[in-house]
Amino acid sequence: EKGGYKHFMAKEIAEQPAVLGDALRHYLGETGQITLPGGGIDFTGVSRLTMVACGTAYLACMTAKYWIEQLAGLPVDVDIASEFRYREPPIPEGTLAVFVSQSGETADTLAALRYCTGRAQRIVSVVNVAESSIARESDLALPILAGAEIGVASTKAFTCQLAVLALVALEAARQRGTLDAATLAAHVQDLRSMPGRLNAAMATEATVAETARRLAEAEDVLFLGRGTMYPLALEGALKLKEISYIHAEGYASGELKHGPIALVDKTVPVIVMAPHDRLFDKTVSNMQEVMARGGKVLLITDAKGAAEAGEGVWQTLVLPEAPELFAPILYALPAQLLAYHTAVAKGTDVDQPRNLAKSVTVE
Ligand code: F6R
């Protein structure tokens, strides 16, 4: 069943270019026209989104917030389901509520969905298990089509969630007229190029595995990122702690000097996720602050970023270039591979990490 891989997680990481391609073809066909099931989402009268999920699915929502706000000009609130459900926030008129869950059975996410039923204008879910409770109780369920995910740490579900949420953002932009047809088509084309880029990025695996052997000696690791790389930094830290049991924290790069920089010394690897985008220079200056305090920086970037990063970086991992908007889909891969190979180096139970369940159906 593991198809020759040592762990389900390894198989599921490697499957991503294929399943992502399938998911995109499902929604875009050959023409590149976005087709959502069940009549799709009508954004008429929608004035805001509230997105609710747990864990990695929550981080997919955080990433989508950047897309939906930037592309469609709709404000987005993102919440952790366990907080949302007991906070019982007001749901203003015109709220589209979106619930993201791989299993579709996460108790807190389901409870949050039930809270929104009758309050939100419409309930949309983004699920992997099509016949799940969350799918059944939504007005519209969008399948992510990742196929069965067995490894406890979510990998291919995350990239497929991102792809479907990117399509929701583009569809909102189309209906609201916030993007002209040519720009919209260019973004769709960019999104369709992501499976190929992910495939090319798989070539970094041997290098990542080497870095991971060194990372396995660390007790604490920091992940930094700006913009859409901020949720990716959180995802990198979550993956690492969950399967390698190394203490890891993700921060927005700009928050570094507001506290976490106090942790930095030569024993703390700092993983900086920074494609060469419009925020690159800002992140480089944060990186230099880390290096000035003896921190060991692992920079994950593209060729341009590597060329401009300057001296003193401990290690650089060079990924293929990616369209700025959809870079998070690509940068999920090194985050997953680093966690995976660190766990393998430490000899932990990758597919069944201690204390964790694949589906959290109780609070
Ligand atoms: C992390 C992970 C968990 C899940 C979370 C939500 O790798 O797997 O954080 O993402 O438990 O699960 P679903 O998506 O099934 O609601």
Side-chain angles (χ1 to χ4, degrees):
E1 271 176 275
K2 291 182 196 158
Y5 292 92
K6 217 169 132 194
H7 299 99
F8 283 110
M9 186 179 177
K11 171 174 171 275
E12 289 161 4
I13 290 172
E15 264 169 13
Q16 288 177 110
V19 291
L20 193 69
D22 292 345
L24 289 171
R25 265 188 300 280
H26 176 85
Y27 284 99
L28 291 166
E30 293 306 316
T31 60
Q33 298 253 18
I34 302 168
T35 312
L36 303 180
I41 304 172
D42 182 0
F43 282 92
T44 316
V46 171
S47 54
R48 61 185 289 277
L49 276 80
T50 191
M51 304 184 74
V52 184
C54 301
T56 286
Y58 165 75
L59 299 174
C61 294
M62 257 184 91
T63 312
K65 174 184 168 83
Y66 290 83
W67 290 334
I68 296 164
E69 291 187 347
Q70 188 185 327
L71 298 173
L74 280 168
V76 179
D77 280 336
V78 180
D79 253 297
I80 293 167
S82 56
E83 285 301 312
F84 181 92
R85 64 180 289 195
Y86 293 114
R87 197 171 79 243
E88 303 188 337
I91 307 293
E93 218 183 292
T95 298
L96 176 74
V98 179
F99 300 87
V100 180
S101 175
Q102 187 284 128
S103 63
E105 301 296 346
T106 300
D108 283 322
T109 309
L110 183 58
L113 182 155
R114 288 177 177 158
Y115 173 77
C116 287
T117 303
R119 291 185 168 92
Q121 177 166 323
R122 198 132 186 260
I123 310 262
V124 173
S125 60
V126 175
V127 293
N128 197 29
V129 181
E131 55 286 348
S132 59
S133 306
I134 288 174
R136 274 199 315 272
E137 294 192 27
S138 338
D139 299 319
L140 176 69
L142 302 177
I144 62 167
L145 305 155
E149 192 181 66
I150 311 288
V152 162
S154 190
T155 53
K156 61 177 180 170
F158 179 63
T159 42
C160 290
Q161 283 162 354
L162 289 178
V164 172
L165 292 170
L167 289 169
V168 168
L170 291 170
E171 174 62 9
R174 187 189 68 77
Q175 287 185 33
R176 291 167 52 79
T178 48
L179 291 180
D180 60 69
T183 309
L184 187 69
H187 286 324
V188 167
Q189 213 30 55
D190 282 347
L191 192 55
R192 287 171 122 178
S193 76
M194 295 313 294
R197 294 177 205 269
L198 267 177
N199 196 39
M202 282 301 295
T204 62
E205 183 162 10
T207 316
V208 174
E210 222 169 277
T211 303
R213 277 192 285 279
R214 303 200 205 166
L215 212 58
E217 291 157 21
E219 279 179 25
D220 302 283
V221 175
L222 288 178
F223 285 77
L224 301 179
R226 260 180 204 270
T228 53
M229 287 299 128
Y230 166 42
L232 264 289
L234 297 177
E235 170 64 1
L238 176 60
K239 283 288 97 88
L240 188 67
K241 64 188 134 193
E242 158 172 66
I243 59 169
S244 78
Y245 316 144
I246 292 173
H247 173 237
E249 299 291 337
Y251 278 97
S253 307
E255 274 292 288
L256 191 64
K257 52 167 79 63
H258 301 287
I261 199 159
L263 295 173
V264 172
D265 65 21
K266 61 183 188 324
T267 68
V268 181
V270 179
I271 301 177
V272 179
M273 306 181 86
H276 191 273
D277 59 16
R278 70 202 158 87
L279 300 172
F280 182 74
D281 292 346
K282 305 241 173 247
T283 304
V284 165
S285 75
N286 300 133
M287 196 173 87
Q288 278 155 353
E289 288 158 9
V290 167
M291 296 188 305
R293 285 156 187 87
K296 287 196 295 196
V297 169
L298 164 60
L299 174 63
I300 306 181
T301 185
D302 48 30
K304 267 193 211 146
E308 284 182 28
E311 300 280 289
V313 177
W314 175 51
Q315 283 189 50
T316 307
L317 181 68
V318 182
L319 293 184
E321 282 199 19
E324 178 161 348
L325 205 50
F326 303 123
I329 296 176
L330 184 66
Y331 282 65
L333 189 77
Q336 297 163 354
L337 286 173
L338 259 184
Y340 174 74
H341 286 288
T342 305
V344 169
K346 291 196 73 171
T348 56
D349 187 347
V350 171
D351 284 333
Q352 288 289 331
R354 68 186 184 201
N355 311 339
L356 294 175
K358 181 65 184 161
S359 181
V360 185
T361 53
V362 290
E363 284 190 57

